[in-house]
Amino acid sequence: MDEIVQLLEAKDVTVTQRQGSKLQTSRGPIFVKIGTGGASADVSLLEYEAKALEHLSNAAKNLHIPKPVLFGALKNGSGFLCMEHLTLGGSGSQKKLGEGLAEMHLSEPQYTKFGFPVDGCCGACPQYNNTDGKEMNWVDFWKEFRLGSQLEMLKQNAPRDTEIQQLGKQLIDYLPNLFSMLDVSAIKPSVLHGDLWSGNFGFDSDGQPCIFDPACYYGHHEADLGIARMFGGFSSEFWNAYHAKIPKAPGFDKRALLYELHHHLNHYNIFGSGYRGGALDLMRRILR
C-alpha cells in the first residue's frame, strides 16, 4: 500500500488515513483494488475497469458509479485501481434503479461501435470487445464476440462436451431468426454494465442506487438484463420502471433467453459443469 500512496501523492492526492483497502484522502475516501479475479491480474484488466467506470459514470445521471482516480502497475507487476469509495448499506428504491439503468441505456453513446476500446473480462473469464473497431451489425457482433467466443473457450475448458458445441453451432445459425422482428441496422450501441446481477448493485447512504464491478461494453440494451434474469434479486418495481422507459420490443422474451444464456456459458467456462445443464436447457428452449 505504501507504493500506491506514493503514486497518489505524486498526483497531488494527499492520503490522511489508511483503513485496509480504504484510504481517506484530500479527494475523499478512496477504495484500492489490487488485481481482479486474482491479485496477480495484469494492469490491462484494471485499465479496462477504470475506463469502464468512466464510460458508465459519464452516461448514468441518476446512478451512483464509483469514479476512477488512478490505475497502474506495482513493482511486482500486479495491476491496481484507486476509485471513489462507495458507502453502501442504505435503503433505496429499485424503481429508481430501473429508471436509472434505462436512462443510461438511452444516453448518447461515447463509443459508436459494438464492443469497447479495450478487451476486458466478465468475472474471471476473458471478454473480447472488438477492439479493432470492425464495422459490424449487432447480430454479427454477438455471433463472434459473445456466443462464438464462449463456445471457443469451452472447447478448451470442456473439450469432451460435444453436445454443447453441436447445439451452439445450431444456435449460431439460428441467431438471425431471433432478430427477424427488428430492423437489425437500427440497433445502436448502448453503454452496458455487462455483469449486473444483484451482487453488483446497492444503495448508498442517501438511498441513491449504485452499480459497480462492471464488464462494460457497448451493445443492445436488452443484453444488460441477462444475468439479472439468471440470478434474480430484481423486484417487479425494477422491471416495470425499466420497461416504462424502454418498452419490450417484438421478440423480446426469446432474445432474453439468449442474453441469459451468455452468462450460463460464461459461468460454465469459469466454474465448470455445474452450469452446463442450465446452458443446455436455454439452448433447447431458444431453438424450439
Side-chain angles (χ1 to χ4, degrees):
M1 191 65 78
D2 288 345
E3 189 177 345
I4 293 172
V5 169
Q6 290 172 8
L7 290 167
L8 282 168
E9 292 185 341
K11 297 290 185 181
D12 295 324
V13 179
T14 303
V15 176
T16 58
Q17 188 178 2
R18 305 184 197 186
Q19 299 168 305
S21 59
K22 179 181 177 182
L23 301 176
Q24 296 292 346
T25 79
S26 56
R27 291 270 299 272
I30 285 176
F31 174 72
V32 180
K33 184 175 188 177
I34 299 176
T36 183
S40 62
D42 184 82
V43 66
S44 64
L45 291 181
L46 281 302
E47 177 188 9
Y48 166 68
E49 184 170 354
K51 289 182 182 296
L53 292 172
E54 184 176 3
H55 279 249
L56 293 171
S57 294
N58 290 339
K61 304 307 179 189
N62 292 305
L63 299 175
H64 190 172
I65 296 166
K67 292 179 172 57
V69 177
L70 181 68
F71 71 88
L74 300 174
K75 291 175 183 176
N76 65 7
S78 294
F80 74 90
L81 170 62
C82 299
M83 68 185 92
E84 174 191 1
H85 183 275
L86 296 178
T87 301
L88 299 174
S91 60
S93 162
Q94 285 208 22
K95 177 175 183 288
K96 289 184 178 179
L97 175 64
E99 290 172 342
L101 185 66
E103 290 163 1
M104 185 181 85
H105 290 162
L106 292 170
S107 68
E108 190 67 25
Q110 304 154 69
Y111 189 69
T112 58
K113 304 288 195 302
F114 292 115
F116 202 68
V118 295
D119 288 329
C121 59
C122 186
C125 203
Q127 180 166 279
Y128 302 107
N129 284 326
N130 184 26
T131 55
D132 292 335
K134 287 194 293 186
E135 292 288 349
M136 56 199 322
N137 66 34
W138 172 247
V139 176
D140 289 338
F141 174 86
W142 195 262
K143 184 185 299 184
E144 180 175 351
F145 289 99
R146 291 297 178 266
L147 179 57
S149 177
Q150 289 290 334
L151 291 169
E152 282 298 313
M153 286 187 279
L154 278 172
K155 288 179 182 178
Q156 302 297 318
N157 296 326
R160 297 183 180 180
D161 194 346
T162 56
E163 184 178 10
I164 206 154
Q165 295 296 335
Q166 290 167 355
L167 284 173
K169 174 63 168 62
Q170 293 177 42
L171 185 52
I172 283 175
D173 293 339
Y174 187 75
L175 272 183
N177 295 283
L178 297 175
F179 295 86
S180 60
M181 298 179 186
L182 303 179
D183 177 1
V184 172
S185 66
I187 298 176
K188 302 301 181 187
S190 294
V191 64
L192 309 181
H193 178 281
D195 194 19
L196 191 58
W197 66 292
S198 59
N200 283 344
F201 83 83
F203 298 94
D204 65 20
S205 54
D206 295 323
Q208 186 175 17
C210 311
I211 60 175
F212 40 86
D213 286 348
C216 178
Y217 65 101
Y218 284 78
H220 188 202
H221 61 85
E222 292 177 2
D224 223 7
L225 307 175
I227 198 167
R229 291 171 56 94
M230 178 178 176
F231 287 128
F234 292 78
S235 69
S236 58
E237 279 191 338
F238 167 85
W239 293 106
N240 292 337
Y242 182 88
H243 290 302
K245 288 187 175 290
I246 306 180
K248 293 181 181 181
F252 173 90
D253 291 335
K254 204 72 173 281
R255 289 189 302 276
L257 302 179
L258 175 72
Y259 295 138
E260 181 181 349
L261 170 65
H262 169 69
H263 293 282
H264 284 261
L265 293 173
N266 192 61
H267 279 66
Y268 187 2
N269 270 305
I270 297 170
F271 300 109
S273 60
Y275 289 92
R276 178 179 185 267
L280 289 172
D281 177 65
L282 285 166
M283 286 177 158
R284 295 187 186 108
R285 289 167 64 190
I286 295 166
L287 290 166
R288 281 177 195 154

